[in-house]
């Protein structure tokens, strides 16, 4: 009886197997649920990124700006009424591309890229331009400033930004420029002693010469000359990054040419071009000849040329021995002809005549007579000449009508046709980046920081330091001498006889794109 009772309570082999199977099933059920819950918690707290949505249109993270580092936090964008302000700040930051507005770069970030510019613009133009290119991977900026850009309120802010070197147009600098190598050579001589755009072209070239020395001292790998109404558009790179684009350039290439696209504004009341303009006209180099010449008449809309202003792009040069500028659009080398390539997708976006006030601002800074003959002394390109005459002779109403007819793209049917043909294109990424910068408070933060961290004494000493004599190579000429035929003995140009004419060929000026006459010559 006892034995029978004992035998009846002993688990049978089949029941043991059932219990084990139940436990295993429980573990297999609970374990995935636990892992899923853990992953959800991590993702909710920002510790995990869903790879399927990382590069989706709704994700704001742009690669390439920080090397392998990633933003600490991803903050969702928010709309704000403050967006209307040029340097406004929304209530909740929405720019996740960097850890903070200071844009601190790793010391080993390669390649090291610098941009040099000559500008008289205000903060509303310079700050979006500057911080956009910081996003693109540019670490150093050489800003040659005068006019509004050199005023205390503006230069105070510019001096406070890491990676920015401000060079003021002082009498000392102008005297140093008179001893420049460029000033005593023939390849730039055709642009001397003429006012306005010619004067600016010479000034830009001489500033570029000085920037080369500064770039070499700072151990830069690449140098680019850009105006503050131009943005690099690194299309075609593995990442939307100028740093990545130049990293992929073969080591034997000395110069990279970026064809320019020209802004095509659709309203006459644009206030902030970088944030409002999304339509651009493509460069001839990025179109087939059949499309370009086949749509030439409709593309020009009665203007002198396909583009309003220049069409020969801008370029980046590898910093190396004997490098020199070749005008504002190209670089050259005293010892060799540079090996150059032209970008097939990347471009420079040129925001030209984007505001109605650009007509009068160009008029006010040039002292030419509004006649067809005299404007040739001031302006290199035909459209600039026509715009100056209109701005100098027409009423405000007539100017606005002319601007709407020649600059603003109001014909939606024509726009759609040219978009379908590929003449016009929509580019939104720079707009989105700059809008994100503004909403994050990057611009207002740097202004506030400059005002609180730089005392008046420190600011004045920084200006004095910037203007002090440098001993690091050739300096750059008196702007008052560029457009004048009156020369002092100390400032006189010594035109040298150059045997190597190829190395010292004439500087590349702003050039219009090919016209119908060029097609006739080919055929």
């Amino acid at each position: 009886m006892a034995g029978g009772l004992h035998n009846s309570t002993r688990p049978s082999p089949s029941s043991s197997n059932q219990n084990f199977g139940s436990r295993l099933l429980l573990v297999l059920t609970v374990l995935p649920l636990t892992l899923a819950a853990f992953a959800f918690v991590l993702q909710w707290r920002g510790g995990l990124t869903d790879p399927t949505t990382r590069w989706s249109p709704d994700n704001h993270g742009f690669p390439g700006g920080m090397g392998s580092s990633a933003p600490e936090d991803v903050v969702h964008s928010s709309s704000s009424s403050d967006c209307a302000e040029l340097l406004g700040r929304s209530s909740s930051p929405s720019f996740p591309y960097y850890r903070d507005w200071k844009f601190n770069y790793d010391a080993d970030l390669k390649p090291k890229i610098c941009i040099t510019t000559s500008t008289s613009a205000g903060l509303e133009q310079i700050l979006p331009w500057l911080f956009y290119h910081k996003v693109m991977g540019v670490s150093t900026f050489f800003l040659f400033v005068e006019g509004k850009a050199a005023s205390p309120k503006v230069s105070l802010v510019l001096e406070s930004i890491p990676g920015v070197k401000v060079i003021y147009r002082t009498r000392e600098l102008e005297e140093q420029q008179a001893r420049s190598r460029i000033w005593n050579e023939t390849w730039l001589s055709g642009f001397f002693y003429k006012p306005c755009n010619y004067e600016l072209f010479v000034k830009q070239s001489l500033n570029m010469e000085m920037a080369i020395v500064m770039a070499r001292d700072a151990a830069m790998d690449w140098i680019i000359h850009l105006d503050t109404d131009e943005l690099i558009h690194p299309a075609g790179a593995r990442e939307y990054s100028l740093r990545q684009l130049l990293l992929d350039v073969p080591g034997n290439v000395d110069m990279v040419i970026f064809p320019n696209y020209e802004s095509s504004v659709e309203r006459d009341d644009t206030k902030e071009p970088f944030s409002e303009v999304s339509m651009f006209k493509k460069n001839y180099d990025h179109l087939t000849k059949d499309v370009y010449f086949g749509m030439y008449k409709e593309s020009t809309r009665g203007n002198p040329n396909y583009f309003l202003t220049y069409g020969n792009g801008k370029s980046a040069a590898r910093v190396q021995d004997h490098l020199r500028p070749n005008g504002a659009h190209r670089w050259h080398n005293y010892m060799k002809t540079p090996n150059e390539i032209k970008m097939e997708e990347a471009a420079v976006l040129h925001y030209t005549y984007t505001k109605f006030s650009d007509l009068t601002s160009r008029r006010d800074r040039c002292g030419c007579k509004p006649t067809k003959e005299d404007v040739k002394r001031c302006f290199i390109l035909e459209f600039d000449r026509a715009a100056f005459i209109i701005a100098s002779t027409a009423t405000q109403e007539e100017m606005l009508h002319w601007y709407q007819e020649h600059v603003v793209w109001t014909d939606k049917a024509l726009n759609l046709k040219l978009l379908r043909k590929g003449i016009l294109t929509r580019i939104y990424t720079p707009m989105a980046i700059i809008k994100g910068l503004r909403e994050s408070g990057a611009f207002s933060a740097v202004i506030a920081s400059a005002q609180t961290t730089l005392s008046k004494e420190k600011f004045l000493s920084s200006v004095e330091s910037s203007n002090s004599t440098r001993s690091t190579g050739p300096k750059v000429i008196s702007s008052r001498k560029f457009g004048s035929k009156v020369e002092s003995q100390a400032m006189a140009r010594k035109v040298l006889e150059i045997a190597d004419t190829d190395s010292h060929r004439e500087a590349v000026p702003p050039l219009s794109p090919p016209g119908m006459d060029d097609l006739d010559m080919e055929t």
Side-chain angles (χ1 to χ4, degrees), residues 195-198 366-390 392:
C196 204
N197 277 16
Y198 287 92
C366 293
C368 285
K369 298 176 182 178
T371 64
K372 290 185 178 181
E373 286 303 316
D374 201 55
V375 292
K376 293 178 181 179
R377 294 190 307 114
C378 285
F379 301 100
I380 301 172
L381 300 173
E382 282 293 333
F383 186 85
D384 287 330
R385 297 170 181 174
F388 180 83
I389 292 175
I390 288 294
S392 302

Side-chain angles (χ1 to χ4, degrees), residues 359 363 370 384-395 398-400 402-403 406:
L359 285 179
R363 175 200 66 193
D384 287 330
R385 297 170 181 174
F388 180 83
I389 292 175
I390 288 294
S392 302
T393 59
T395 65
E398 290 170 336
M399 271 196 295
L400 181 59
W402 187 91
Y403 182 77
H406 291 269

Side-chain angles (χ1 to χ4, degrees), residues 222-293:
W222 290 91
I223 183 170
I224 305 172
H225 173 259
L226 281 183
D227 296 327
T228 52
D229 62 352
E230 297 171 328
L231 300 178
I232 290 284
H233 174 53
R238 288 178 292 168
E239 300 174 347
Y240 195 80
S241 160
L242 176 62
R243 185 190 63 81
Q244 185 64 60
L245 192 72
L246 294 179
L247 187 65
D248 294 336
V249 172
N252 66 334
V253 172
D254 303 307
M255 183 167 65
V256 174
I257 298 171
F258 295 90
N260 63 295
Y261 289 8
E262 190 173 80
S263 59
S264 301
V265 296
E266 299 168 82
R267 306 195 322 268
D268 60 23
D269 60 348
T270 301
K271 292 182 174 61
E272 211 300 299
F274 294 150
S275 299
E276 298 177 40
V277 178
S278 65
M279 193 166 73
F280 296 86
K281 190 186 288 187
K282 283 188 178 181
N283 193 285
Y284 169 78
D285 289 321
H286 286 178
L287 295 168
T288 64
K289 185 165 70 173
D290 291 343
V291 169
Y292 178 82
F293 287 111

Side-chain angles (χ1 to χ4, degrees), residues 283-284 292 296 305-312 511-515 518:
N283 193 285
Y284 169 78
Y292 178 82
Y296 188 87
N305 205 275
Y306 175 77
F307 276 165
L308 302 182
T309 53
Y310 78 89
N312 53 326
L511 298 174
S512 295
D518 298 286

